[in-house]
Each structure stands twice: as structure tokens, then as C-alpha cells.
Amino acid sequence: MSDRTRPDDLTLPDDLLLSIRDLRKRFVLHAVDGRVVEGLQGVDLDVAERRHLALAGLSGAGKSSLLKCIHRTYVADAGTIHYRTEPGAVVDLTGLPDAEMADLRAREIGYVSQFLRAEPRRGVHDVVTRAAVRMGADADESADRAAEVLRRVNIAENLWQTYPTLLSGGEKQRVNLAAGIVVAPRLLLLDEPVSALDPANREGVIEVVADLTARGATVVSVFHDLDAIRRLADLVVVLAGGHVTDRGTPTDVLERGLELVPS
């Protein structure tokens, strides 16, 4: 649990759901002579409600680290992450007690990684249904929601009782996304949701992600896919070496020359 103090008078502009200031995170590589890597070095970021912000940049730029600091999978070393909860209170996620952060993850803040970590010996439909129940849907509604989203991400019904561990990489990724969006959270953190998908399934997932803001979600995503960024994002923030190096609309950032893979 963080020992930071938590002021009671935090505020955010009315249109923002999330505001990050001077966020810093370093990593100590104990297996490599205790070397220190500066993952995030003073990141500032504002995320408007019901908008899609895409994080872009080369591998190692700090994109996934930023998502994990917001989700508090990583604990930031310095800086603030102000978030407006559904009741309207503004909290600093970096200093929130662990139990309160866990409650926010259960109710409001979703995270979809590239990798599926499902409970063992539960079928695909059960995994997604239980995710809906955790987000507040009742049991009958959850089963229906699970069926609907599994169809939308093109998981065949003859796989719904299959253990996710037996699926292909692309199928696991789509099940993972289905569990993360079966009930759209207020803030959804997406880490490379189309990285393992073939063109046909990639297109279906992009259509599903495109609907999220209309369903009330605010999305912060990581992509290495220029087409996905162009089609999905309202705003692009480019990271390099743990710093923000550019920001703007997809059109503006892409016209300035966005490099996602080494030349």
C-alpha cells in the first residue's frame, strides 16, 4: 500500500476522466548487475471522457508501462494520476489504498493485455460470463452478453465449452478482449488487442473496439498498427524513451511521420 497522502479536494476539468502529471517509473534489473532503466520520465497526459487515446511509439518507449501504472499493476515512483470515479469523486490512483484500487478495477477500470490469463478448467463462455458478473450484470443477462460478444469477435459456438488454454493465439486474444468488454468499463486500457490476429478477425475486433466509446467507455490503447490508430483514435500520444515526444489527431501525427518499427 502506498504511503502517499490523499487530498480530499482534488479536482479535474469537467470534460476529463483522467489526468496524469509528471509520472515517473524506473525498473531495477536485478539480473543485470542491478542496472536501472528509466521507464517513464515525467509523462503528462489528459484523457477526455468517452474518447479514444492511442499510445504509439517504438517498442520499449514506455507505452505498456504507462497503462500498467494507470491500472496500478506497476506502482509509479512519482507523479499523479487523477481519475474521476463514477460517483464524481476525483482520486489519485498513485496513492489510493489497495482495497479501493481493487474496487475500482472491479467496477470501473478494465485492462486487456495481449495474453489470456483465464481460470483453469472453465470453458470460454463461462470465462466471459463470469467477467460480466464481476462487472455487475446479473447471471442470466451475463450469459446472454457473453454469447453476443463472443459472436462479435468471431469465436465459433463449437468452441464455447473449450478450455481457453487449448485455443490458438488469435482465439485467446479475442476471448481476452471479449471478457474485457462484455460490460464496457468507464475506463478501458487496451494493450495490443490485434497483435495476433489474421486480417479477417482483426477487422472484426477493430469494429468492436470502435463501438466502445459510443457505449460510454473511455479508451487508452497501445497499438503498433497505423491503420488501427487512424481508424480508432481521437488523439495520439507518441512516447520515446519514457517521454512524450508528440501528440495530436491521428492525421496530424501520421503526417509528421510516426515510426512504429525500427527502420
Side-chain angles (χ1 to χ4, degrees), residues 173-247:
Q173 193 167 47
R174 282 178 280 139
V175 171
N176 203 29
L177 179 66
I181 67 172
V182 61
V183 175
R186 293 186 71 238
L187 175 62
L188 180 62
L189 310 170
L190 290 177
D191 196 350
E192 287 287 348
V194 298
S195 61
L197 303 186
D198 59 76
N201 285 312
R202 171 189 173 279
E203 186 64 25
V205 165
I206 284 178
E207 290 178 2
V208 170
V209 173
D211 289 343
L212 289 170
T213 51
R215 292 170 58 193
T218 300
V219 181
V220 181
S221 65
V222 169
F223 283 106
H224 283 106
D225 184 323
L226 291 176
D227 178 65
I229 289 173
R230 184 182 293 107
R231 293 168 60 184
L232 294 172
D234 299 296
L235 180 71
V236 181
V237 171
V238 183
L239 294 174
H243 298 278
V244 174
T245 59
D246 196 6
R247 70 183 79 209

Side-chain angles (χ1 to χ4, degrees), residues 54-76:
L55 301 172
L58 298 175
S59 294
K63 305 181 300 297
S64 293
S65 294
L66 180 53
L67 286 190
K68 290 176 180 178
C69 283
I70 297 170
H71 194 245
R72 258 265 293 277
T73 311
Y74 290 164
V75 177

Side-chain angles (χ1 to χ4, degrees), residues 11-148:
T11 60
L12 273 179
D14 291 343
D15 61 330
L16 295 186
L17 183 71
L18 189 73
S19 183
I20 297 170
R21 290 293 178 269
D22 197 29
L23 195 68
R24 298 175 183 271
K25 177 62 181 174
R26 60 170 46 186
F27 302 92
V28 180
L29 306 183
H30 296 287
V32 190
D33 301 325
R35 186 176 307 166
V36 174
V37 175
E38 300 290 346
L40 299 171
Q41 301 189 64
V43 169
D44 293 339
L45 189 68
D46 288 331
V47 185
E49 196 162 10
R50 298 193 179 191
R51 295 292 184 267
H52 188 137
L53 183 147
L55 301 172
L58 298 175
S59 294
K63 305 181 300 297
S64 293
S65 294
L66 180 53
L67 286 190
K68 290 176 180 178
C69 283
I70 297 170
H71 194 245
R72 258 265 293 277
T73 311
Y74 290 164
V75 177
D77 295 312
T80 59
I81 304 173
H82 290 172
Y83 170 75
R84 187 192 312 280
T85 67
E86 188 167 25
V90 177
V91 297
D92 181 0
L93 299 181
T94 67
L96 207 60
D98 290 346
E100 292 182 37
M101 188 68 212
D103 286 344
L104 281 180
R105 288 176 183 161
R107 298 191 318 267
E108 299 191 25
I109 301 177
Y111 177 84
V112 177
S113 74
Q114 300 178 55
F115 310 106
L116 178 65
R117 295 179 176 85
E119 297 177 64
R121 293 177 293 282
R122 293 194 183 278
V124 164
H125 184 266
D126 192 17
V127 167
V128 180
T129 298
R130 289 166 68 87
V133 170
R134 286 194 299 271
M135 290 294 290
D138 66 43
D140 291 338
E141 180 188 6
S142 295
D144 291 342
R145 283 175 177 258
E148 178 184 0

